[in-house]
């Protein structure tokens, strides 16, 4: 998979993809991640990436021209209908569809080239959405000062699901949200007794069927307690 990030703050990403699973996946060439400075796609003297909104109002709007130029260069065309198969152009914005594990899985399974556009300020000129964007995505019902942290969230959630990105094939299978929309069960490691807090006996007895049952029960218990909404089928 190839991931290209468009941002006015390329420095933000300097080290964020240099750790753990994402770093390993990059080294193993499972994914290639490139960061692009939107400003480098401007053509005006002042290299402006934003401007005042038509119709008045507060704040600035990100200009469409540098973003069109960037997509043209990175994808080969600025016409959504002509994107190569497996190309997804994602605009990170609080107006987007809320990102879920199922969406991460779909990107990991189906996309070959993901372009993440980090919005800033009061928004992005709507013509970017109209002509370029295949998916407008939000990471939750809160407002960030820009799409950069959201781009990191998407890249991380998608890359770890790519084939061979995780150490063992089963690691992702038991993730929260993967199984029937349940949260993951609690985990413990040594010591079995820490300051009087004991690891549940069932995990120490080696009875795998019983452990499996306990894990399922705890996952359900935890989900009921803090994420009841997950148990209501969409
Ligand atoms: N930009 C600002 N807020 C955002 C959010 N919640 N998700 C994605 N991008 C954003």
């Amino acid at each position: 998979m190839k991931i290209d990030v468009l941002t006015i703050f390329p420095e933000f990403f300097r080290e964020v993809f240099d750790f753990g699973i994402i770093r390993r996946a990059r080294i193993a060439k499972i994914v290639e991640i490139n960061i692009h400075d939107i400003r480098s796609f401007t053509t005006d003297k002042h290299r402006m990436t934003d401007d005042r909104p038509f119709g008045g109002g507060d704040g600035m709007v990100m200009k469409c021209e540098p973003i069109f130029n960037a997509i043209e260069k990175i994808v080969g065309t600025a016409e959504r209908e002509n994107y190569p198969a497996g190309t997804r152009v994602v605009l990170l914005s609080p107006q987007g569809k809320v990102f879920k594990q199922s969406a991460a899985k779909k990107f990991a399974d189906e996309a070959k080239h993901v372009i993440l556009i980090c919005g800033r300020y009061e928004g992005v000129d709507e013509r970017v959405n109209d002509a370029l964007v295949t998916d407008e995505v939000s990471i939750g019902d809160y407002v960030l000062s820009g799409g950069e942290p959201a781009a990191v969230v998407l890249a991380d959630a998608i890359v770890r699901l790519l084939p061979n990105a995780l150490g063992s094939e089963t690691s992702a299978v038991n993730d929260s949200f993967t199984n029937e929309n349940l949260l993951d069960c609690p985990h413990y490691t040594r010591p079995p007794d820490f300051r009087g807090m004991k690891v549940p006996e069932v995990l120490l007895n080696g009875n795998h069927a019983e452990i499996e049952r306990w894990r399922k029960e705890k996952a359900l218990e935890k989900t009921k307690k803090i994420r009841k909404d997950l148990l209501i089928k969409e």
Side-chain angles (χ1 to χ4, degrees):
M1 177 181 278
K2 197 169 162 204
I3 299 178
D4 287 284
V5 181
L6 300 187
T7 174
I8 56 163
F9 296 129
E11 286 289 292
F12 180 93
F13 296 92
R14 220 171 49 175
E15 294 188 330
V16 78
F17 296 127
D18 279 345
F19 301 92
I21 289 162
I22 308 302
R23 176 187 169 87
R24 256 210 341 255
R26 290 175 56 215
I27 290 169
K29 305 243 183 297
I30 292 166
V31 66
E32 178 190 320
I33 304 178
N34 301 303
I35 312 300
H36 306 271
D37 187 351
I38 292 173
R39 199 172 302 281
S40 71
F41 294 96
T42 56
T43 53
D44 62 306
K45 193 168 88 197
H46 300 291
R47 307 183 80 208
M48 296 238 305
T49 58
D50 62 331
D51 208 337
R52 291 192 311 271
F54 277 126
D58 288 340
M60 301 289 268
V61 176
M62 283 180 80
K63 291 166 70 66
C64 52
E65 195 205 2
I67 298 175
F68 271 70
N69 290 343
I71 295 294
E72 224 149 36
K73 168 94 184 300
I74 293 164
V75 180
T77 172
E79 284 157 20
R80 189 167 43 211
E81 310 73 52
N82 297 328
Y83 289 164
T87 304
R88 311 303 300 174
V89 173
V90 179
L91 175 64
L92 284 322
S93 106
Q95 279 76 247
K97 186 168 177 198
V98 176
F99 191 60
K100 300 259 172 74
Q101 185 68 15
S102 53
K105 180 81 177 119
K106 209 163 151 63
F107 276 109
D109 287 348
E110 296 171 12
K112 291 193 192 78
H113 190 187
V114 179
I115 297 96
L116 301 172
I117 304 173
C118 304
R120 277 265 143 193
Y121 310 114
E122 265 43 50
V124 178
D125 190 303
E126 191 61 21
R127 288 166 289 192
V128 167
N129 237 331
D130 293 343
L132 303 177
V133 170
T134 60
D135 307 79
E136 188 171 10
V137 175
S138 163
I139 60 162
D141 292 338
Y142 38 80
V143 180
L144 304 169
S145 48
E148 282 78 8
V152 174
V153 168
L154 258 73
D156 191 298
I158 294 167
V159 169
R160 63 187 291 285
L161 294 178
L162 293 174
N164 304 318
L166 295 181
S168 84
E169 268 312 315
T170 53
S171 304
V173 173
N174 290 321
D175 283 346
S176 288
F177 313 113
T178 303
N179 299 307
E180 312 153 39
N181 262 351
L182 287 185
L183 298 180
D184 199 1
C185 63
H187 301 277
Y188 298 88
T189 185
R190 289 185 292 181
D193 182 339
F194 177 68
R195 299 186 181 182
M197 294 180 281
K198 294 193 174 56
V199 171
E201 190 59 39
V202 55
L203 298 178
L204 309 174
N205 71 12
N207 183 335
H208 293 292
E210 208 178 306
I211 291 170
E212 222 22 69
R213 215 165 28 244
W214 179 88
R215 286 184 168 153
K216 223 171 171 153
E217 183 189 307
K218 287 294 161 187
L220 188 60
E221 211 172 87
K222 190 156 188 169
T223 310
K224 265 186 191 154
K225 192 167 161 204
I226 56 178
R227 289 296 306 274
K228 219 179 199 134
D229 58 294
L230 291 177
L231 298 170
I232 301 157
K233 279 266 169 282
E234 281 167 31

